[in-house]
Amino acid sequence: VDMVIDSEIKISAQVHRVPVQDGHLLSVSLKLSESAGIKDIIHELRYFQAPLPDLPSLPERSLIYNEEIDRPQPRLDRGAGNGMSVTVGRVRKCNVLDIKMNILGHNTIRGAAGAALLNAELLKIKDLI
């Protein structure tokens, strides 16, 4: 659903209702502060590096861009980076905001459990615990 209610309120939403055991699939629409082309956005996603020190549980690539038009998919992509990577795909122009993309993360591995593990590793490296 894409709607412009007035000049300040813009809505762009999409729902994915699929029965899966693991993996949250999001459809995200973004308004950018500066104009950027789809190729530029894909380039930034493809080469993004998490601004974190080398943590034992942090995968080599915390964000993985997938070029295939039918990806990400929970069953195919939830295990990326041993479940600790987030997969992004289907980057496209949005008719209301600037861009749309689909994002998939493993809800049990990268979710609360993985985030808690990474937080503990970071605190240990910084000698806070």
Side-chain angles (χ1 to χ4, degrees), residues 24-38:
H24 286 298
L25 184 60
L26 310 170
S27 180
V28 178
S29 297
L30 303 170
K31 175 74 176 156
L32 305 174
S33 60
E34 297 179 20
S35 179
I38 297 297

Side-chain angles (χ1 to χ4, degrees), residues 40-107:
D40 295 325
I41 294 165
I42 289 171
H43 176 83
E44 293 300 319
L45 290 168
R46 185 176 283 128
Y47 296 103
F48 173 80
Q49 286 288 353
L52 292 172
D54 188 24
L55 302 175
S57 299
L58 189 67
E60 182 179 331
R61 306 278 312 151
S62 58
L63 187 148
I64 298 170
Y65 174 73
N66 195 314
E67 293 187 34
E68 297 175 56
I69 61 170
D70 62 346
R71 303 285 280 282
Q73 293 182 32
R75 287 186 183 240
L76 299 175
D77 301 305
R78 68 183 178 210
N82 292 322
M84 292 292 281
S85 295
V86 172
T87 304
V88 179
R90 303 180 197 180
V91 177
R92 61 212 182 269
K93 183 175 176 9
C94 177
N95 293 329
V96 175
L97 302 176
D98 292 321
I99 63 163
K100 287 184 181 185
M101 64 182 72
N102 291 69
I103 301 171
L104 174 73
H106 195 299
N107 55 308

